[in-house]
Amino acid sequence: MHRTIFAFEEAAYNLKKLYCPTCNQSVFLKKGALKAPHFSHYKKEACESFSEGETMEHLNGKLQLYTILKNNKLNVELEAYLPNLKQRPDILLNTEHQKIAIEFQCSQLPIQKMLERTSNYLKHGYQPYWILGDRFFTNTQMTQLKRSFIRFNPKFGLYLLRYKTKNNHLEIIHSFNKKMNRICNTEKTILSNRNLAQILQNDFSFTEKVSKKRVENFSLYNTHLNLQKHMAYSNPRIRNFASLLYSESESLMSMPIEVYYPLDNQWIILTEPVEWKYRLLIWIEKHESHQIITEKGLFSYIEELRKQEKLSLSEMPLLQNDHFYQVFVNYMKILVKMNILREIRTRKWVILSPAKRFNNENEKILALNL
C-alpha cells in the first residue's frame, strides 16, 4: 500500500523504494549543505511536476504556512498535484467558496513563467496567492517581476505579501511610491499568524493597526526642472514625449502645468506620466466646449492608445482592469480641480475650457510656484 511521504520526514531516510506520485518513476532522496532534503528523479526528463530541490527558506516557509492554516482548522494540502493544470502549488487551500493555490516564492523566476502559472490557475478556477521570501526585498528596485505579484484590497490599496521564516510572521507591503524604477516610502503592516487565513480569503477585517503612508514633499517647480534636465540630455525615456510636443507645435515652456500633477499608483502605467497625461489632455481639448465626456468614451480612448502602442501598462495579472482605469479617472479629478472639466454625474464630465498655455518661462515659473 502506497502512502505519501515528504523529504523532510525522518522516515524518508530509511525507505529504499520511493516513487514520484505524479509519474510513478523511481526517485531517490538527496540532501546537501545549501539545498533542503528533496527527492530527485533518476531521469530528469521523466517528470515536470517537481522542482529538483529547494532552499531551506522555501522548505521552512511552506511548512510554517501550512501549519498555520492547519491549526486554523482549514482544509489544506501540502504540494497537492493538480493533474488538469499540471501544476503543484506549495499549498492548496479549499474553502467553502473557492480553491486557493498558495505559492511561497523565494527565488527569481522568469516573468513569463509566473504569468503562465497565474493564468493557468485563474483559467481553472483557482485563486493564486504569491507570498514572497526575503530575496525579493534585498533592494528597492521595482522590477517587472515584483510588480506582477501585486494584489489590491481597499484597506491597503496595492500590496505585496511577504513571509519571514526567521520571525515566523506575515507582512503586508503597501503604500508604494515609485521614483526612478525604485520602490520608495513603502509601508509595511506586520500581522499575527491568525490573520493569514483571513487574508487568503480576501477578508481584511482584522483590527491590527495599519501603518500610515509617509507624505512626501512635492513641488511642481522641481518636477518642471527635472523634466527640463531630462529633455536637455535627450533622455530616451522621454524622447517620445518630446516628439509629441513638437508634433503639437508646443514646447516645455508653453506646455500646461496640469501634466505635472502626481497621482496615486501612476507608476503602474509604464508610459511616462507626462506623456500619457498630455495625450489625454489634448484629446479632451479637441472636444467642443461643453461637450460631454463619458467614462465609456474615456476608456475607449485609453484602449485605442494601447492598440496604437502609444500607452503601455504593467503586466500585473492579479489586478483587474478597473485598477488601471482608476489612475486615469483620478487624472480627470485633477482636471476638475483645475476648472478644465466639471463632473456633472459620477464619471461623466463636461468640458469647460482648455488648459492654460504659457508665453514665457517667467510666466510659467510663477504659475508653478503658486
Side-chain angles (χ1 to χ4, degrees), residues 270-334:
L270 291 182
T271 304
E272 285 296 305
V274 288
E275 180 181 341
W276 70 256
K277 289 173 188 173
Y278 183 71
R279 285 192 187 278
L280 184 53
L281 181 61
I282 59 177
W283 172 74
I284 290 169
E285 291 177 331
K286 286 176 181 177
H287 289 72
E288 293 183 5
S289 179
H290 293 90
Q291 187 175 348
I292 292 174
I293 296 176
T294 63
E295 176 186 70
K296 183 178 179 181
L298 170 64
F299 295 164
S300 293
Y301 176 65
I302 296 303
E303 290 307 313
E304 185 61 30
L305 288 179
R306 293 181 67 187
K307 287 179 184 177
Q308 296 174 7
E309 298 185 349
K310 295 177 180 178
L311 179 71
S312 298
L313 310 182
S314 296
E315 290 192 278
M316 302 170 78
L318 301 174
L319 296 186
Q320 304 293 326
N321 278 341
D322 286 350
H323 299 124
F324 293 96
Y325 289 152
Q326 185 60 46
V327 178
F328 302 109
V329 171
N330 287 344
Y331 186 58
M332 300 295 273
K333 292 178 181 179
I334 293 288

Side-chain angles (χ1 to χ4, degrees), residues 188-200:
K188 65 180 180 181
T189 298
I190 300 173
L191 302 176
S192 58
N193 290 337
R194 69 179 180 273
N195 296 129
L196 174 62
Q198 286 181 253
I199 290 170
L200 296 176

Side-chain angles (χ1 to χ4, degrees), residues 349-362:
W349 306 270
V350 64
I351 299 168
L352 298 181
S353 63
K356 178 179 173 57
R357 267 58 176 183
F358 299 92
N359 297 313
N360 57 66
E361 190 74 9
N362 289 335

Side-chain angles (χ1 to χ4, degrees), residues 228-245:
Q228 201 172 50
K229 180 176 68 175
H230 291 315
M231 292 188 74
Y233 287 97
S234 192
N235 187 321
R237 290 174 57 190
I238 62 165
R239 201 165 287 158
N240 287 339
F241 173 61
S243 297
L244 176 60
L245 276 180

Side-chain angles (χ1 to χ4, degrees), residues 6 8-9 54 56-70 78 90-91 104 163 165 168:
F6 296 97
F8 56 83
E9 294 183 63
E54 54 188 319
M56 288 303 298
E57 180 191 16
H58 185 243
L59 174 64
N60 291 335
K62 70 180 180 183
L63 288 177
Q64 290 170 11
L65 291 167
Y66 170 80
T67 302
I68 291 167
L69 295 172
K70 194 73 175 176
L78 192 62
D90 289 325
I91 301 168
F104 181 47
Y163 187 74
T165 57
N168 195 17

